[in-house]
Amino acid sequence: ALSIFGDHSDVMAVRQTGFGIIASNSVQEVMDTALIAQAASLESRVPFVHFFDGFRTSHEVAKVEALTPDDLRAMIDNDLVQAHRSRALSPDRPVIRGTAQNPDVYFQARETVNPYYLACPTIVQNAMDRFAALTGRQYRLFDYVGAPDADRVIVIMGSGAEVTHETVEYLNAHGQNVGVLKVRLFRPFAIEQFIAALPKSAQSIAVLDRTKEPGSIGEPLYQDVVTALVEAGVTGKTVIGGRYGLSSKEFTPAMVNGIFEELKKQSPKRHFTVGIRDDVTHTSIDYDASFSTEDPGTVRAIFYGLGADGTVGANKNSIKIIGEETPNYAQGYFVYDSKKSGAITTSHLRFGPKPIRS
């Protein structure tokens, strides 16, 4: 079947193209990473796919700090732009590209790209550091949040990382010892930086993928993490892989808490799903649906309507007014399906004094 709702299945299908792949986890990061990826691509000469969760992030209404034209100019090197343009196909500078090569040279030519990909992670991190100097928002190839001596860690990328971030802060404030490792640069995968970001104390690691690859030993991010640990000579850790959020299925702090509970077990499920009830192959793990990290000061509202009755548009205006005219953090998210007109729509509005990550 086909789903028009978002997950990571599509971006995982382009892994072999050689494009750099970089993820944004929130509405703010979408704006920020677009600039970082552009700057890094010009310098590294590696093309980039900058991705974020379709609809879940792309259609969320949230309060952001907008980049200015001066920020853009400071990040983009005009000499690199000119160099990029000079490599374009032009009758004034004729070159041949996209040839068909035979076995005598193809293999050798394929390996000539290696220096560009080896240099790419450092170039991306340098772009992130320049961006931090301009805006005060520091990103890293792999961002760790949580207890420095955490025994259980979740590795994840995309909007689910923000949900996990909020849950980690809540659990640690209530006596637990957990963390989340957010993956930003998925390709090229930088093993050294990944190992440096992962707490040495972590004994149990859950790697979450928002895709299903039938027939594989494990999903892509899980396989990368296992490979990175082996190549770095790291032993003695339990690594399990989970699937969540396919077709924009809800992913909540309660599910994150359930995964951390699974990691406590002597023999956690090596491959699991969360957020569904799998009564066929029994991959799903249990979680306490009543668990909540919601700040008491946050106001929550749900509005139901029928497609084309104006409910979604009115609520978008409401949350924008709250975000722009008050000091509150605001979040609006709107659920409607491919039937659109006449079908049920649901508008989720939240606002409060603290950032809303879930």
Side-chain angles (χ1 to χ4, degrees), residues 4-5 336-341 343:
I4 65 165
F5 290 83
Y336 43 90
D337 62 19
S338 51
K339 294 187 283 292
K340 294 187 169 62
S341 295

mmCIF file of all heavy atoms in Angstrom, residues 4-5 336-341 343:
data_model
loop_
_atom_site.group_PDB
_atom_site.id
_atom_site.type_symbol
_atom_site.label_atom_id
_atom_site.label_comp_id
_atom_site.label_asym_id
_atom_site.label_seq_id
_atom_site.Cartn_x
_atom_site.Cartn_y
_atom_site.Cartn_z
ATOM 1 N N ILE A 4 0.582 8.674 1.975
ATOM 2 C CA ILE A 4 1.069 10.020 1.671
ATOM 3 C C ILE A 4 1.669 10.681 2.901
ATOM 4 O O ILE A 4 2.191 11.788 2.825
ATOM 5 C CB ILE A 4 -0.053 10.916 1.100
ATOM 6 C CG1 ILE A 4 -1.152 11.164 2.150
ATOM 7 C CG2 ILE A 4 -0.624 10.318 -0.172
ATOM 8 C CD1 ILE A 4 -2.087 12.301 1.802
ATOM 9 N N PHE A 5 1.583 10.021 4.065
ATOM 10 C CA PHE A 5 2.118 10.598 5.290
ATOM 11 C C PHE A 5 3.604 10.274 5.414
ATOM 12 O O PHE A 5 4.087 9.304 4.857
ATOM 13 C CB PHE A 5 1.333 10.093 6.497
ATOM 14 C CG PHE A 5 -0.063 10.636 6.554
ATOM 15 C CD1 PHE A 5 -1.085 10.050 5.828
ATOM 16 C CD2 PHE A 5 -0.352 11.757 7.307
ATOM 17 C CE1 PHE A 5 -2.367 10.555 5.866
ATOM 18 C CE2 PHE A 5 -1.628 12.278 7.353
ATOM 19 C CZ PHE A 5 -2.642 11.674 6.623
ATOM 20 N N TYR A 336 -5.178 15.988 8.972
ATOM 21 C CA TYR A 336 -6.257 15.721 8.018
ATOM 22 C C TYR A 336 -5.704 14.787 6.967
ATOM 23 O O TYR A 336 -4.489 14.703 6.761
ATOM 24 C CB TYR A 336 -6.813 17.006 7.390
ATOM 25 C CG TYR A 336 -5.780 18.020 6.980
ATOM 26 C CD1 TYR A 336 -5.215 18.015 5.703
ATOM 27 C CD2 TYR A 336 -5.365 19.013 7.871
ATOM 28 C CE1 TYR A 336 -4.273 18.954 5.327
ATOM 29 C CE2 TYR A 336 -4.423 19.959 7.503
ATOM 30 C CZ TYR A 336 -3.883 19.925 6.225
ATOM 31 O OH TYR A 336 -2.948 20.857 5.855
ATOM 32 N N ASP A 337 -6.584 14.040 6.296
ATOM 33 C CA ASP A 337 -6.083 12.987 5.404
ATOM 34 C C ASP A 337 -6.300 13.348 3.943
ATOM 35 O O ASP A 337 -6.704 14.460 3.600
ATOM 36 C CB ASP A 337 -6.715 11.631 5.760
ATOM 37 C CG ASP A 337 -8.223 11.628 5.588
ATOM 38 O OD1 ASP A 337 -8.746 12.496 4.871
ATOM 39 O OD2 ASP A 337 -8.886 10.754 6.171
ATOM 40 N N SER A 338 -6.040 12.377 3.076
ATOM 41 C CA SER A 338 -6.075 12.637 1.633
ATOM 42 C C SER A 338 -7.485 12.884 1.120
ATOM 43 O O SER A 338 -7.659 13.343 -0.005
ATOM 44 C CB SER A 338 -5.440 11.458 0.886
ATOM 45 O OG SER A 338 -6.022 10.241 1.310
ATOM 46 N N LYS A 339 -8.501 12.583 1.938
ATOM 47 C CA LYS A 339 -9.886 12.840 1.487
ATOM 48 C C LYS A 339 -10.226 14.330 1.569
ATOM 49 O O LYS A 339 -11.108 14.800 0.860
ATOM 50 C CB LYS A 339 -10.874 12.025 2.329
ATOM 51 C CG LYS A 339 -10.722 10.508 2.126
ATOM 52 C CD LYS A 339 -11.812 9.739 2.840
ATOM 53 C CE LYS A 339 -11.562 9.638 4.328
ATOM 54 N NZ LYS A 339 -10.396 8.793 4.661
ATOM 55 N N LYS A 340 -9.507 15.032 2.453
ATOM 56 C CA LYS A 340 -9.637 16.476 2.607
ATOM 57 C C LYS A 340 -11.075 16.938 2.844
ATOM 58 O O LYS A 340 -11.606 16.745 3.917
ATOM 59 C CB LYS A 340 -9.005 17.200 1.410
ATOM 60 C CG LYS A 340 -7.485 16.998 1.355
ATOM 61 C CD LYS A 340 -6.842 17.836 0.295
ATOM 62 C CE LYS A 340 -5.319 17.812 0.438
ATOM 63 N NZ LYS A 340 -4.720 16.508 0.272
ATOM 64 N N SER A 341 -11.741 17.555 1.853
ATOM 65 C CA SER A 341 -13.066 18.154 2.086
ATOM 66 C C SER A 341 -14.059 17.131 2.617
ATOM 67 O O SER A 341 -14.237 16.057 2.042
ATOM 68 C CB SER A 341 -13.603 18.754 0.787
ATOM 69 O OG SER A 341 -12.786 19.823 0.374
ATOM 70 N N ALA A 343 -13.975 15.315 5.348
ATOM 71 C CA ALA A 343 -13.452 14.355 6.332
ATOM 72 C C ALA A 343 -13.147 15.086 7.643
ATOM 73 O O ALA A 343 -13.058 16.313 7.681
ATOM 74 C CB ALA A 343 -12.205 13.680 5.791
#
